[in-house]
Amino acid sequence: MIVILKKNPDQNQLDNLKRWLRSKNIDIHESTGVESTILGLVGDTTTIDINLLNALDIVEDVKRIQEPYKKCNRKFHPEDTVIKVGNTQIGGGNLTLMAGPCAVESEEQILSAARAVKAAGATMLRGGAFKPRTSPYSFQGLREEGIRLLELAKKETGLPIVTEIMDASQLDCFENVDVIQVGARNMQNFELLKVLGKTDKPILLKRGLANSYQEFLMSAEYIMAGGNEKVILCERGIRTFETYTRNTLDIALVPSMKQLSHLPIIIDPSHAAGKYALVPSLSCAAVAAGADGLIIEVHCDPEHALSDGPQSLKPDVFGRLAKKLYAIHDVMGSMEEVL
Ligand code: PEP
Ligand code: MN
């Protein structure tokens, strides 16, 4: 249920209302905007009489909301969430470009990739240390050593790092990681989400291979319900009947999530396409659709990459693409009032 208050509500009446709601075991999430203040009521609101609330002097309107997700719901929090990472911000009109190899393979490989993506315009470095591979015989990642190498690359380039956690037992290694990625296969690993909800690190939550928008938002809700509100949603393509691409990029998710939620949205065109040649077009489409950023696989020597070489861009291609993406982002920003 949400309660929209009149402008400048009487503080005494507001305190009384909050006290009464709390006595009914209702949690209150207050969001103060320029025009109005909104109270998001979380808990069993079935016993609350909507007419009684509506009759209060300080109340403008009361709405019951159907959606089971509350904290990530835009109705509770009309302003976009902006997440600070190092010197950069995700959301709030910024374009975040996370780039780097699928997996950290060696010191030389990650350092050269980090230097190259930084020079090309990336704002964050990606690289998998714990790798969720379909086959147990494929390269599984350098694990702890991979994180150490990412930290080295961060130290040298100043780029914040984003890398995937696969199990809560790995959390200690993530102390110096700036953004913790939850991979598509773990989107509904609820025990992991609960543990991440108790951290204060930004979480890049990838949509599962076959999950609905509501399921995606419920997973974000798991993290936020634990107290960590720094969640970044990431669409990386879903399973459909099409086999030409590795997955099908669901661009409609971007404007849909902008309606449903206040969380920033990042698109991963690399895992969606599975083919490097498709990545630039999908990236441009994502920015034009209003995404807050992209996470793109870039490798200095894709032919010899230990994972996902076929979908990785070479740094020079990424550099040209980054220029185009910033330009599209600028145009979209300046057209906002027109459309
Ligand atoms: C990755 O980012 O390298 C990855 C494994 O992604 P996803 O979880 O989307 O498959
Ligand atoms: Mn990959």
Side-chain angles (χ1 to χ4, degrees):
M1 184 181 281
I2 60 170
V3 179
I4 302 156
L5 300 177
K6 288 188 182 143
K7 214 172 175 174
N8 305 320
D10 177 83
Q11 197 57 48
N12 265 340
Q13 291 186 36
L14 181 55
D15 290 344
N16 283 340
L17 171 61
K18 288 196 209 162
R19 211 168 304 122
W20 178 72
L21 288 167
R22 288 199 186 102
S23 75
K24 301 222 158 239
N25 282 332
I26 302 290
D27 272 348
I28 304 164
H29 296 269
E30 193 164 342
S31 164
T32 312
V34 188
E35 285 305 317
S36 61
T37 297
I38 291 171
L39 303 181
L41 310 189
V42 182
D44 182 9
T45 54
T46 48
T47 58
I48 309 271
D49 183 349
I50 232 177
N51 297 322
L52 204 132
L53 286 181
N54 251 326
L56 297 176
D57 275 351
I58 56 168
V59 171
E60 177 78 47
D61 201 4
V62 185
K63 288 195 172 87
R64 278 204 187 276
I65 62 164
Q66 262 74 52
E67 297 91 353
Y69 48 89
K70 315 273 178 199
K71 291 184 181 258
C72 61
N73 197 320
R74 191 172 290 271
K75 284 184 190 158
F76 276 13
H77 189 296
E79 282 90 29
D80 285 347
T81 282
V82 181
I83 299 174
K84 200 173 159 352
V85 179
N87 295 327
T88 66
Q89 290 192 323
I90 305 179
N94 300 289
L95 182 68
T96 299
L97 292 187
M98 305 173 174
C102 177
V104 180
E105 299 168 9
S106 67
E107 179 170 333
E108 145 65 19
Q109 175 251 11
I110 191 66
L111 285 181
S112 53
R115 288 178 198 128
V117 298
K118 181 171 185 184
T123 52
M124 288 185 66
L125 175 66
R126 69 147 286 149
F130 296 97
K131 291 302 305 171
R133 305 305 300 278
T134 303
S135 164
Y137 308 116
S138 301
F139 176 57
Q140 300 288 305
L142 296 181
R143 304 176 69 84
E144 291 83 352
E145 172 65 1
I147 305 253
R148 192 186 70 76
L149 296 177
L150 281 169
E151 288 172 7
L152 260 186
K154 170 179 167 176
K155 205 165 163 203
E156 193 194 299
T157 58
L159 289 177
I161 50 181
V162 51
T163 191
E164 179 168 352
I165 192 166
M166 284 172 60
D167 188 84
S169 62
Q170 298 157 353
L171 193 58
D172 284 349
C173 307
F174 285 69
E175 204 181 321
N176 299 316
V177 167
D178 299 280
V179 175
I180 302 180
Q181 175 176 325
V182 175
R185 291 153 192 84
N186 265 322
M187 189 204 87
Q188 288 192 314
N189 180 342
F190 300 120
E191 290 301 317
L192 176 62
L193 301 180
K194 281 188 210 167
V195 169
L196 296 175
K198 295 288 170 210
T199 70
D200 64 353
K201 297 265 185 200
I203 309 296
L204 181 79
L205 177 66
K206 289 191 145 194
R207 181 184 181 187
L209 279 68
N211 288 111
S212 67
Y213 293 174
Q214 180 153 314
E215 287 164 342
F216 192 15
L217 288 171
M218 290 309 288
S219 290
E221 192 77 11
Y222 258 96
I223 300 168
M224 298 175 87
N228 184 358
E229 310 221 324
K230 292 183 259 178
V231 179
I232 304 149
L233 303 171
C234 178
E235 156 66 24
R236 41 78 74 208
I238 48 171
R239 282 276 166 87
T240 67
F241 49 82
E242 185 53 70
T243 53
Y244 183 74
T245 50
R246 183 174 178 184
N247 291 288
T248 298
L249 183 64
D250 181 9
I251 283 283
L253 177 135
V254 178
S256 306
M257 284 297 165
K258 289 281 172 201
Q259 288 178 355
L260 299 173
S261 178
H262 51 87
L263 297 174
I265 301 152
I266 298 286
I267 293 284
D268 174 346
S270 309
H271 291 88
K275 295 177 168 149
Y276 77 89
L278 304 184
V279 169
S281 302
L282 296 184
S283 303
C284 294
V287 175
D292 297 290
L294 292 149
I295 179 163
I296 300 178
E297 288 187 340
V298 178
H299 198 289
C300 295
D301 183 12
E303 290 82 1
H304 297 102
L306 296 184
S307 67
D308 287 349
Q311 66 194 34
S312 299
L313 298 185
K314 290 188 177 161
D316 60 329
V317 178
F318 172 69
R320 289 196 295 278
L321 174 61
K323 280 205 185 81
K324 202 166 165 181
L325 296 175
Y326 285 120
I328 294 173
H329 184 250
D330 282 350
V331 171
M332 294 308 294
S334 62
M335 300 273 283
E336 221 150 61
E337 265 109 68
V338 182
L339 296 175

